[in-house]
Amino acid sequence: MLRTPQRPTKLAVLTSGGDAAGMNAAVRATVRSALAAGLEVFGVYEGMQGLVDGGDRIKQLSSTDVGGILHQGGTVLGTARCAEFFSRDGRRQAARNLVERGIDALVVIGGDGSLTGANLFREEWPSLLDELVAEGDLEPDLAAAHRRLTLVGMVGSIDNDMFGTDMTIGADTALHRITEAIDAIHSTASSHQRSFVIEVMGRHCGYLALMSAVAAGANWVLIPESPPDTDDWEESMCRAMEAGRAIGRRRNLAIVAEGAQDRHGNPITAQHVKEVLEERLGEDTRVTSLGHVQRGGAPSAFDRYISTVLGYAAVEQILMSPGGEPQLIGIRGHEIISSPLMDCVNKTKAVADVIARQDYETAMDMRGGSFKDSFRMIRTMVRAQPHGPEPGQRRLRLAVLHAGGPAPGMNTAVRVAVRVGVDHGHTMLGVHNGFKGLAAGKLEEMDWMSVTGWVSQGGAELGTSRKVPAPELLERIAHQLDKHRIDGLLMIGGWTAYQTANLMHELRDIHPSFALPIVCLPASINNDLPGSELSVGADTALNSIVQDVDKIKQSAVAAQRSFVVEVMGRDCGYLALMSGLATGAERVYLPEEGISLLDLEKDVNELKDGFAHGKRLGLVIRSEQADPVFTTSFIRSLFEHEGIGLFDVRTAILGHVQQGGDPSPFDRIQATRLASKCVEHLIEQALSEEPASSFVGLQKGKVRFTPISEFPDLVVPGVHRPMDQGWMALRPLARVMAQPVPPETTPQV
Ligand code: ADP
């Protein structure tokens, strides 16, 4: 009779296959979550090779052992390709090394190869133990006590090519590296009017090529999943590049995925693209192959926090179903999902097979909606000549404006909105300085080239205004909308935009010109808007905070010091919690929870205890409006007073750097996707009998529109934040990740 598998008491974690930024964060989270659950944890060094070799390649880890690694790229556990693990003998040796130590739970962070190998290992486990017992290499009692191996996988891969998760660990960081490189190339290419061909990684998956093309505003992109339509694609590419030059484009940029191919499966190399551009157009063309730069460097904020969240969930999964079917832990929006591991691996492999069979339509379908949207988008954006109106088509006049604080990605969104609108044959008008400008009639027609270069620019070229217009201003706005015959309004901004759109909607009986359709696109670093898991700008702000906190932590290497870092967010603690998770803060103060005297007493005592036992660095993150009484300076004074003789305290109020900077790749991609959907939606509404107003957002990774009239019901009365904040579920993690440190250790954050 089969016994129900026992809850494992010892767990091993390893990283395998190609390295990916964020693997360290995943290891740290796995180790600390497992320790918090009372498990003993072992790190396996050098991937599967460490399993086979055993000895000191399998080491017990403490919380301290994974301190100070969150911000490091690569993997401190090491990774290797291991030929022995492909053989049953190798895997038997690996089983022996684990079971001898009483380990029967395994967390693997790697690509589809590693996860396949690990799954095979788990399937064979009982029979491997039987063989070891039969050969006298293992005590029967030990084998009987560990009949099942519990396996959980996380995907560490820069390619973002796996089913079962929206994003793989390392993909976002790779996009950061590629986008930084292309932004740098951009300026030199423009100066010399050169063409650049950039080769990016991705053998079977065009994710990095496609998304970096969206984020960098490339003029041509070649990916494995969707080869050029025609055999004479070189000619189409040359015509497009030529037309771009004719309208004044100063540089041409083509991005080629490593695995790019033509319709017949013949590889297309960056070198070939260069030769074509040189020979047919006489373009001065350079090739840059980004190579391993794409893997390297400090992980992005997103990679740090998803890895943290996934590591935590992996341990929960192990405890929940010991000996159960192996699961892959992934994310969808802010939600953690777990799916049968081998289903995910098999579906992933199936895409490569479909591409090899040259069934490109199925390959694109399998990649999913956002991938297809982006590809469609790129094909519009690379055009030098818009399609323009169809004969007899009604030409709408659509206006775009900003409202609220500046958010990186606003320019990116305007660029796409203008081009999509013009491409559909409509007149696009940019409003300068938000509602104030609209009331003063500061509208200007925008054409295809008026938004050149905006994809990567921070700030808001059109300008913005922060206040909801007073009645007198609203009257003038109504007049201007009439005067300029505006058929639809796209508001790219934050709380002010949403409130004003709702107000205009409510006043449409008084001001008939307010009956036009309005669409709001969430752009606010605070991420405080309803109807969307994320607003444009929040990711850039988060990265900016994380980079600053890294530097702040480095500044304290020698001293015993505690930092109180204040971040923006108004009434919403998103930036505080996420930056806390991404930087390893031990305490995060959020406006959603407030701060109590009891909290402060407990926190200060924990800090004192930590520093008394060798702690060198403390980090607390406070959201700017976490509490009206317990301000950042109050907390500093309190900590300083209580910490005399143990540690000193410094504050860092990060301020407006958080609103500045060029948009992150994710913000550019999201701004592009949402703006294009918004304009298409606005056109549809403007042409309909009963035009409706709405706000757009990402919900579980899908683009959704919510009627503007629902705005008041979806927000917390009296404050600026939505009722539904999925990310709040991540709060307990911050505590687990910063476990009180056992005495006699020298912890690092
Ligand atoms: P990735 O995990 O990035 O796809 P690889 O495919 O190189 O990387 O796999 C990493 C390691 O995982 C291999 O060197 C090998 O030890 C193990 N592995 C991969 N595939 C299998 C398999 N089919 N059977 C057993 N082990 C495998």
Side-chain angles (χ1 to χ4, degrees):
M1 203 179 72
L2 264 180
R3 278 190 294 163
T4 319
Q6 303 256 318
R7 178 186 194 265
T9 55
K10 294 184 183 179
L11 170 155
V13 54
L14 62 84
T15 53
S16 174
D19 67 315
M23 281 180 159
N24 284 328
V27 169
R28 170 182 178 271
T30 305
V31 170
R32 293 198 171 168
S33 306
L35 291 172
L39 301 178
E40 285 180 51
V41 193
F42 293 77
V44 179
Y45 289 77
E46 314 306 334
M48 304 301 189
Q49 192 65 52
L51 281 183
V52 176
D53 294 348
D56 61 5
R57 287 196 157 170
I58 304 180
K59 272 193 242 164
Q60 188 160 2
L61 297 177
S62 70
S63 178
T64 319
D65 292 323
V66 289
I69 64 169
L70 186 58
H71 64 284
Q72 290 176 23
T75 158
V76 291
L77 290 183
T79 175
R81 315 266 177 202
C82 169
E84 283 149 286
F85 202 76
F86 283 98
S87 76
R88 193 170 165 92
D89 283 353
R91 294 192 293 274
R92 188 168 48 242
Q93 188 57 36
R96 182 177 169 179
N97 284 327
L98 288 183
V99 79
E100 269 178 359
R101 290 167 174 80
I103 302 169
D104 55 11
L106 186 61
V107 173
V108 173
I109 307 159
D112 61 346
S114 308
L115 297 173
T116 307
N119 182 64
L120 183 62
F121 182 50
R122 180 233 166 231
E123 277 172 6
E124 291 176 346
W125 177 269
S127 59
L128 293 173
L129 298 196
D130 289 344
E131 282 172 32
L132 287 166
V133 171
E135 287 161 21
D137 286 336
L138 183 67
E139 291 297 322
D141 285 356
L142 203 52
H146 303 284
R147 285 309 292 170
R148 291 269 179 272
L149 177 72
T150 310
L151 171 68
V152 171
M154 281 177 258
V155 193
S157 159
I158 67 165
D159 287 343
N160 201 29
D161 55 350
M162 278 287 283
F163 277 79
T165 188
D166 281 354
M167 285 294 277
T168 58
I169 294 170
D172 184 61
T173 305
L175 267 182
H176 273 258
R177 292 299 97 79
I178 298 170
T179 312
E180 283 154 16
I182 299 181
D183 282 354
I185 286 171
H186 188 144
S187 44
T188 160
S190 304
S191 309
H192 295 275
Q193 297 223 28
R194 276 192 180 129
S195 293
F196 268 85
V197 185
I198 319 262
E199 187 192 274
V200 305
M201 283 184 170
R203 269 171 304 153
H204 303 296
C205 182
Y207 176 85
L208 289 178
L210 180 56
M211 295 305 167
S212 59
V214 171
N219 311 107
W220 203 258
V221 61
L222 292 153
I223 57 171
E225 294 88 342
S226 184
D229 297 337
T230 57
D231 284 344
D232 197 15
W233 62 269
E234 287 97 335
E235 199 49 34
S236 321
M237 178 181 74
C238 288
R239 293 292 75 82
M241 298 281 196
E242 207 173 34
R245 285 283 191 226
I247 56 165
R249 198 188 281 154
R250 288 194 59 84
R251 58 106 179 101
N252 277 321
L253 182 64
I255 297 185
V256 185
E258 234 177 347
Q261 53 182 34
D262 68 17
R263 293 207 86 72
H264 311 291
N266 305 309
I268 299 178
T269 62
Q271 189 59 30
H272 175 66
V273 176
K274 168 191 152 89
E275 283 160 13
V276 169
L277 292 176
E278 277 182 340
E279 283 162 20
R280 300 199 190 178
L281 294 179
E283 285 274 326
D284 181 5
T285 310
R286 307 291 154 104
V287 172
T288 301
S289 180
L290 293 180
H292 283 80
V293 165
Q294 296 162 83
R295 288 192 180 283
S300 67
F302 181 81
D303 271 328
R304 294 185 200 193
Y305 82 71
I306 58 156
S307 304
T308 302
V309 169
L310 294 178
Y312 177 82
V315 173
E316 272 195 330
Q317 179 64 42
I318 282 184
L319 297 174
M320 227 160 53
S321 57
E325 190 182 354
Q327 296 289 309
L328 185 136
I329 307 291
I331 55 151
R332 182 148 306 141
H334 287 304
E335 222 176 289
I336 307 294
I337 50 171
S338 78
S339 333
L341 183 97
M342 280 321 282
D343 272 8
C344 301
V345 170
N346 292 335
K347 281 186 188 152
T348 303
K349 288 190 172 150
V351 186
D353 295 342
V354 165
I355 296 174
R357 284 207 310 272
Q358 298 171 19
D359 179 359
Y360 303 116
E361 208 170 307
T362 311
M364 286 300 273
D365 283 342
M366 291 173 87
R367 286 280 182 243
S370 107
F371 194 92
K372 275 168 79 177
D373 277 356
S374 300
F375 193 66
R376 200 167 53 92
M377 187 71 260
I378 272 283
R379 299 186 97 168
T380 304
M381 300 309 280
V382 299
R383 228 170 261 139
Q385 294 293 328
H387 277 116
E390 302 278 333
Q393 177 196 319
R394 181 172 157 214
R395 278 192 90 158
L396 298 169
R397 292 171 62 78
L398 306 174
V400 186
L401 62 71
H402 297 308
M410 280 180 156
N411 287 329
T412 319
V414 175
R415 167 181 177 264
V416 174
V418 167
R419 291 200 171 166
V420 170
V422 170
D423 193 53
H424 279 84
H426 303 293
T427 302
M428 299 303 291
L429 298 125
V431 179
H432 291 274
N433 300 330
F435 295 120
K436 267 198 206 156
L438 182 56
K442 290 197 177 143
L443 289 90
E444 181 193 7
E445 184 169 341
M446 300 184 81
D447 64 13
W448 199 260
M449 290 303 283
S450 61
V451 287
T452 293
W454 286 28
V455 66
S456 57
Q457 279 174 24
E461 286 292 310
L462 284 180
T464 175
S465 64
R466 285 171 187 271
K467 281 202 183 131
V468 176
E472 186 265 333
L473 207 64
L474 280 172
E475 214 150 286
R476 282 169 35 212
I477 289 175
H479 170 70
Q480 293 293 343
L481 290 175
D482 254 351
K483 183 175 158 196
H484 290 274
R485 292 174 285 110
I486 303 301
D487 296 302
L489 204 49
L490 172 61
M491 296 185 186
I492 300 167
W495 200 265
T496 314
Y498 283 56
Q499 268 183 318
T500 309
N502 185 44
L503 190 61
M504 287 169 66
H505 177 71
E506 284 173 352
L507 294 177
R508 63 194 185 285
D509 291 338
I510 301 173
H511 298 294
S513 61
F514 288 174
L516 83 178
I518 304 172
V519 177
C520 295
L521 186 159
S524 159
I525 67 160
N526 300 339
N527 197 29
D528 56 358
L529 298 159
S532 191
E533 277 146 5
L534 268 173
S535 53
V536 170
D539 184 60
T540 308
L542 201 52
N543 276 291
S544 156
I545 295 170
V546 167
Q547 282 166 13
D548 284 348
V549 173
D550 279 354
K551 288 181 198 144
I552 288 168
K553 282 163 68 173
Q554 278 168 357
S555 77
V557 275
Q560 291 204 304
R561 179 164 289 177
S562 205
F563 285 99
V564 183
V565 176
E566 182 184 296
V567 302
M568 283 184 166
R570 289 196 68 144
D571 299 321
C572 173
Y574 178 81
L575 287 178
L577 181 67
M578 290 301 174
S579 61
L581 286 175
T583 57
E586 39 233 308
R587 187 69 169 95
V588 180
Y589 297 123
L590 309 176
E592 286 83 354
E593 300 175 320
I595 308 174
S596 75
L597 203 52
L598 229 60
D599 289 336
L600 288 174
E601 190 182 349
K602 185 165 171 284
D603 296 341
V604 83
N605 283 335
E606 271 177 18
L607 275 179
K608 279 166 73 175
D609 199 41
F611 280 103
H613 290 100
K615 185 180 183 67
R616 284 187 289 120
L617 181 66
L619 174 64
V620 169
I621 294 190
R622 181 183 175 282
S623 188
E624 58 185 354
Q625 293 186 12
D627 194 272
V629 177
F630 300 126
T631 59
T632 301
S633 80
F634 179 96
I635 295 176
R636 178 200 171 138
S637 306
L638 176 77
F639 284 7
E640 215 157 36
H641 184 264
E642 295 295 311
I644 289 175
L646 282 173
F647 60 96
D648 62 16
V649 187
R650 294 286 184 277
T651 48
I653 296 175
L654 299 184
H656 285 84
V657 289
Q658 296 162 85
Q659 284 184 331
D662 293 340
S664 68
F666 181 83
D667 276 333
R668 298 184 199 185
I669 293 162
Q670 205 200 347
T672 300
R673 192 170 168 210
L674 292 182
S676 113
K677 293 274 183 193
C678 279
V679 171
E680 282 168 1
H681 185 79
L682 201 55
I683 294 170
E684 208 178 282
Q685 292 303 315
L687 293 173
S688 80
E689 291 291 318
E690 280 180 52
S693 294
S694 56
F695 45 94
V696 74
L698 282 186
Q699 294 173 19
K700 295 201 172 137
K702 296 219 159 38
V703 179
R704 301 258 185 260
F705 290 88
T706 311
I708 194 76
S709 54
E710 289 182 23
F711 175 72
D713 294 334
L714 293 176
V715 299
V716 179
V719 290
H720 288 195
R721 68 169 170 263
M723 296 270 197
D724 181 21
Q725 300 192 114
W727 54 268
M728 283 287 279
L730 306 177
R731 269 174 313 165
L733 262 79
R735 280 269 178 201
V736 172
M737 290 306 135
Q739 293 158 56
V741 180
E744 268 75 68
T745 53
T746 310
Q748 289 172 296
V749 172

